[in-house]
Structures are given as C-alpha cells and as structure tokens.
C-alpha cells in the first residue's frame, strides 16, 4: 500500500485521480487532500477516503471545513501556509493538481521531500523552470508527468537515450475554435471557449486550449522535462486526440502513445509507474475511429505557441512572466471583463515591457509572477 497526497483534490484531475483510487482502495492510503473553496466536496472526499488531513486554500473557509469534518477524526487546516505544510507530510506519491502558479509553493514543498511527484500543474514548472528541475535533481525526486502529452513522451522515451531523438512532437487538438475564421475569434464567449471538443477539464485549461496557450505552456513544460533542445520540439494539430504525442529517433523510428481522451489513462500510468494498473476507460476502437488527421498549427490565428517558443528562447524570467499574464487574462476573460483575443495580446504586451532578471529561487519566481500580474492588470485596465 502506498501513501498518497493530492494537491487540488477537488478539481478535474483530482476527481480523475480519486476515481482510480476508489477502484483500487487496497493500493493507496490517503494522507492529505486539498481544495481551494469547495468545502462540501473537500470534506466529503476526505471522509470517503479517510484522509489524515483536509486543507482548504481559502483560510476564511476553515471554520466551515472544521464543521463539515466534525466527529470524523480528520485533521483540518486552511491557508497558503497550510497547503505547504500538507505537501510536506510524508507521502510516497504526491499528485500536484492545483491550477496555476498558486500550486507552485506546495508543489516545490512536495518535491523537496525527495519522493515521487506526479505533475499535472504545468504552470508551476513553466514559471519555476530551472528552479524546479534543480530541486528535483538535488532531492533525488522522481517527477512523473501527468499532462497527457508529456506522459506520452515519457513513455515513448522509456529505455532510450535522448541523444538519439530527432524530434519530439506534441500533438494538439486545436481546441474548440480550430476551424473558426480569425475575425470570429474576437467575439468568442467564455461558454464557447470552455466547450472543448475532446476533453472535459477545468475552466482555466479549457480556455488555454482554445487560445492554444495550453500547447505553448506544454512546449515549455516539454523543454524542461525532456532535454533535447528547443529546435527538436515541435507541435502538430491532431483533431482526434488519439495520438497523445510522439518521439522520432534518428534511425527513422517514430514511437507514439495512443489512447482514449481520458485523463485517467495518463494518471493511471503515473500512479502505477513503473507497473501498470487497470482503468475503466473503453478500449481504443481504431476501426470505429477510422481516420487520424494532422495539420500544421496556424500561428496567425493562434499566436500563443509562437509566443511560448520565443519565451523559451529568451529564457530567464520570460516564461514566468508570460504564464502570469496569461493567468490574469484568462480570469478576466472568464469573468467577462475582456475579449478572447485580448488574452494572448496581454501576454505579448507584458512580455514586451521588458524582463526582470532571471529568478534563482522560489521566492524570486513568486516575485516575478507577482510583478507580471500587476503589469497585466494595469495593461488590461482591470478594476481589481
Ligand atoms: P480545476 O480548476 O478543475 O481544479 C483545480 C484545483 O486547484 C481545485 O482543487 C482547486 O480547488 C485548486 N485551486 C485553485 N486555485 C487554488 C488556489 N489559489 N490555492 C489552492 N488551490 C487552488 O483544474 P484541472 O483541470 O484539474 O487542472 C489542474 C492542473 O492540471 C492545471 O495545471 C492543468 O493545466 C493541469 N492539467 C489538467 C488537465 C485536465 O484534463 N483537467 C490535463 C492536463 C493538465
Ligand atoms: Mg495536455
């Protein structure tokens, strides 16, 4: 039996992870579960899985969480510091599934324990970059990618030397607007943007998929996880989301990972690694799927991948700045304050303001993130 903590247990990745745990109750003991504001769901999950502790990110909700857990014997805590404390509790495996840079400090705390971290929280790696990968190396942590593309690449690289890699190709569904004419994009609504054709996900990553910033963030994520160099990383649009990514070797062999568009597949791969566990997902029926198609990304309509590539080449604080601006802009879009095409424009504008010096520590990454958020809010003329 392995002990398990889930940071962001109340979200989409958290739910998929707990669905697998529910089907394998004998394999896992739950240490900590965290959520941000959904007290009822967090308390119910903590009770169902007999967690040691439940932590709510919004400290003002701690009394409600205490009340909801009364008589259960489950400890409770609240606030950003408590999330970090929870991540420090000994656990064989931590699933980092908080959305955004809010998950960075708890994810780093888990990494510093030197065990295994299954990373879904891509924004944390994009922002912290070398600070995080150095901590992984320093503490001897096993970092397992949960993002479906990176999990696919991880599997396709197994047993091979990255020196033999010719290309790593990230596949992209293209999102809900992949066939929209450029003029229509400015009028896209939040409801349309979160309606992803293939995947059911949290609101933020759904908007990122619509702008293609998700693929931009994943490009940077891949650059950190798989050291093949920026010129060996590329993106291809594959609307069916059956091939989750691929690796081409110098002998001309391409290895690809295929599977249903269900995050329980990559999550199961990380939970059971290096073994395998069963999932309830339907087997892949290629005869019914019939056709797999591919096309080059259109960076005129979706400039986010170009911006991410430029941020990777710029290095230093660029990725953290871009990510922070994107988080502010996506939240503003979701709350109806800005238009769809302003999201990536905001990232470009904030990057054009000039970059702070490269962050060397977690505190410096958080400071860069904070400053870029202020700039993004000013640039978008947001009230808060
Ligand atoms: P979600 O919005 O469904 O859930 C996010 C979780 O983070 C929730 O538990 C929420 O309570 C918590 N959270 C939000 N703000 C917080 C804060 N300020 N402090 C503490 N906790 C906070 O998001 P999701 O779709 O599950 O995505 C989680 C992460 O996984 C993201 O980084 C996303 O990019 C990545 N990811 C998701 C999918 C997917 O299919 N959903 C796929 C690949 C990668
Ligand atoms: Mg992905």
């Amino acid at each position: 039996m392995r002990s398990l903590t889930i940071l962001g247990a109340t979200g989409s990745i958290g739910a998929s992870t707990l669905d697998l745990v529910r089907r394998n109750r004998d394999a896992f003991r739950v240490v900590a579960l965290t959520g941000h504001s959904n007290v009822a769901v967090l308390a119910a999950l903590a009770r169902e899985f007999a967690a040691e502790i439940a932590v709510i990110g919004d400290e003002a909700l701690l009394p409600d969480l205490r009340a909801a857990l009364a008589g259960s014997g489950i400890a409770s805590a609240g606030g950003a510091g408590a999330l970090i404390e929870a991540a420090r509790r000994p656990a064989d495996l931590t699933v980092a599934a908080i959305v955004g840079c809010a998950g960075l400090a708890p994810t780093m705390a888990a990494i510093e324990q030197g065990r295994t971290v299954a990373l879904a929280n891509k924004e944390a790696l994009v922002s912290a970059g070398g600070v995080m990968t150095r901590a992984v190396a320093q503490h001897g942590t096993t970092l397992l990618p949960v993002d479906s593309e990176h999990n696919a690449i991880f599997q396709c690289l197994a047993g091979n030397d990255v020196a033999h890699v010719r290309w790593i190709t990230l596949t992209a569904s293209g999102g809900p607007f992949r066939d929209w004419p450029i003029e229509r994009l400015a009028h896209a609504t939040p409801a349309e943007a979160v309606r992803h054709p293939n995947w059911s996900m949290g609101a933020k990553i759904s908007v990122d998929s619509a702008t293609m910033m998700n693929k931009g963030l994943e490009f940077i994520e891949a650059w950190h996880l798989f050291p093949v160099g920026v010129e060996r990383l590329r993106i291809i649009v594959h609307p069916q989301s059956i091939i989750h990514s691929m690796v081409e070797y110098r002998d001309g062999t391409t290895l690809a990972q295929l599977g249903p568009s269900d995050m329980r597949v990559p999550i199961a791969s990380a939970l059971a690694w290096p073994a395998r566990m069963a999932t309830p997902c339907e087997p892949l029926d290629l005869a019914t799927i019939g056709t797999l198609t591919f096309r080059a990304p259109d960076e005129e309509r979706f400039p986010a991948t170009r911006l991410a590539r430029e941020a990777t080449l710029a290095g230093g604080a660029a990725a953290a700045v871009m990510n922070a601006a994107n988080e502010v802009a996506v939240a503003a879009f979701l709350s109806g304050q800005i238009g769809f095409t302003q999201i990536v424009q905001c990232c470009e504008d904030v990057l054009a303001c000039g970059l702070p010096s490269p962050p060397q520590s977690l505190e410096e990454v958080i400071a860069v993130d904070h400053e870029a958020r202020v700039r993004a809010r000013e640039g978008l003329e947001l009230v808060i």
Side-chain angles (χ1 to χ4, degrees), residues 8-13 35-36 83 97-99 102 120-123 147 201-202 205 263:
T10 56
S12 166
I13 292 288
H36 185 56
L83 292 172
I98 293 175
V99 60
N121 183 198
K122 67 190 86 183
E123 298 91 347
D147 213 346
M201 311 181 285
I205 183 176
M263 284 307 292

Side-chain angles (χ1 to χ4, degrees), residues 122 146-150 171 199 201 205 214-215 218 221 263:
K122 67 190 86 183
V146 165
D147 213 346
S148 57
E149 296 76 4
H150 306 75
T171 53
W199 300 91
M201 311 181 285
I205 183 176
N214 183 48
K215 214 49 56 182
E218 290 181 355
E221 186 184 10
M263 284 307 292

Side-chain angles (χ1 to χ4, degrees), residues 18 39 108 124 133 165 169 175 181 211 220 247 285 303 377 381 384:
L18 286 168
V39 168
M108 284 291 283
T133 52
V165 171
T169 305
T211 59
I220 301 172
V247 178
D285 181 355
R377 280 193 200 98
E381 297 176 346
I384 42 133

Side-chain angles (χ1 to χ4, degrees), residues 6-371:
I6 305 176
L7 306 170
T10 56
S12 166
I13 292 288
S16 294
T17 306
L18 286 168
D19 180 75
L20 294 169
V21 173
R22 194 176 281 121
R23 295 163 195 274
N24 294 275
R25 289 302 286 262
D26 299 341
F28 299 99
R29 179 176 65 78
V30 174
V31 178
L33 297 179
T34 84
H36 185 56
S37 52
N38 198 332
V39 168
V41 170
L42 178 61
L45 292 173
R47 283 179 184 271
E48 179 186 353
F49 292 95
E52 280 176 23
I53 185 169
V55 182
I56 193 86
D58 181 348
E59 202 167 357
L61 297 172
L62 180 56
D64 296 353
L65 180 63
R66 286 219 173 99
L69 289 174
S72 66
I74 298 167
S76 52
L83 292 172
I84 295 171
E85 288 301 316
R88 286 196 182 125
R89 287 195 171 220
D92 298 324
L93 175 62
T94 300
V95 178
I98 293 175
V99 60
C101 207
L104 173 56
T107 300
M108 284 291 283
I111 287 171
E112 285 162 7
Q113 303 315 301
R115 304 214 180 160
T116 301
V117 175
L119 183 76
N121 183 198
K122 67 190 86 183
E123 298 91 347
L125 177 56
V126 167
S127 296
V131 170
M132 182 178 286
T133 52
R134 278 195 296 279
V136 168
Q138 187 190 334
H139 297 279
T141 305
T142 301
L143 191 66
L144 300 173
V146 165
D147 213 346
S148 57
E149 296 76 4
H150 306 75
N151 186 269
I153 296 162
F154 180 79
Q155 295 196 48
C156 295
L157 284 172
N160 290 283
D161 185 340
V162 288
H164 299 310
V165 171
R166 186 185 282 164
W167 294 107
I168 287 180
T169 305
L170 293 159
T171 53
S173 70
F177 305 148
R178 73 176 165 240
D179 297 318
W180 282 32
I182 196 165
E183 318 76 58
R184 201 179 151 194
L185 290 174
H187 310 289
T189 66
E192 289 167 328
V194 298
R195 214 177 297 135
H196 196 280
N198 305 349
W199 300 91
S200 153
M201 311 181 285
K204 194 263 178 182
I205 183 176
S206 297
V207 175
D208 285 345
S209 298
T211 59
M212 296 279 290
M213 183 55 89
N214 183 48
K215 214 49 56 182
L217 297 173
E218 290 181 355
F219 184 91
I220 301 172
E221 186 184 10
W223 185 74
H224 288 295
L225 290 172
F226 312 114
V228 295
V230 79
E231 67 289 346
R232 291 182 190 277
L233 287 175
R234 57 184 188 178
I235 296 168
I236 195 158
V237 174
H238 165 45
Q240 296 83 13
S241 299
I242 297 296
I243 295 180
H244 297 300
S245 278
M246 33 199 158
V247 178
E248 182 176 328
Y249 290 94
R250 65 180 183 187
D251 61 3
T253 297
T254 295
L255 297 184
Q257 186 262 356
L258 287 70
S261 312
D262 187 322
M263 284 307 292
R264 289 176 298 184
V265 177
I267 293 169
S269 152
L271 288 184
W273 185 86
R276 298 273 179 186
M277 67 194 277
T279 69
C281 306
E282 287 296 312
L284 203 56
D285 181 355
L286 288 175
T288 301
I289 293 163
T291 313
L292 301 182
T293 59
F294 305 92
R295 63 172 107 143
D298 178 350
E299 292 189 337
E300 200 196 324
R301 277 189 304 156
F302 300 107
T305 49
R306 169 184 55 78
L307 212 56
R309 203 169 45 248
E310 288 169 3
T312 310
L313 290 167
V321 167
M322 186 190 79
N323 177 69
N326 183 56
E327 287 194 31
V328 169
V330 169
F333 170 70
L334 282 170
S335 62
Q337 298 183 75
I338 65 167
F340 181 74
T341 46
Q342 281 180 279
I343 301 171
V344 177
Q345 188 59 53
C346 166
C347 299
E348 184 138 33
D349 292 348
V350 174
L351 279 167
C353 292
L355 293 175
S357 48
Q360 303 296 339
S361 65
L362 174 61
E363 292 68 32
E364 288 179 13
V365 175
I366 291 170
V368 166
D369 175 82
H370 180 77
E371 191 192 319

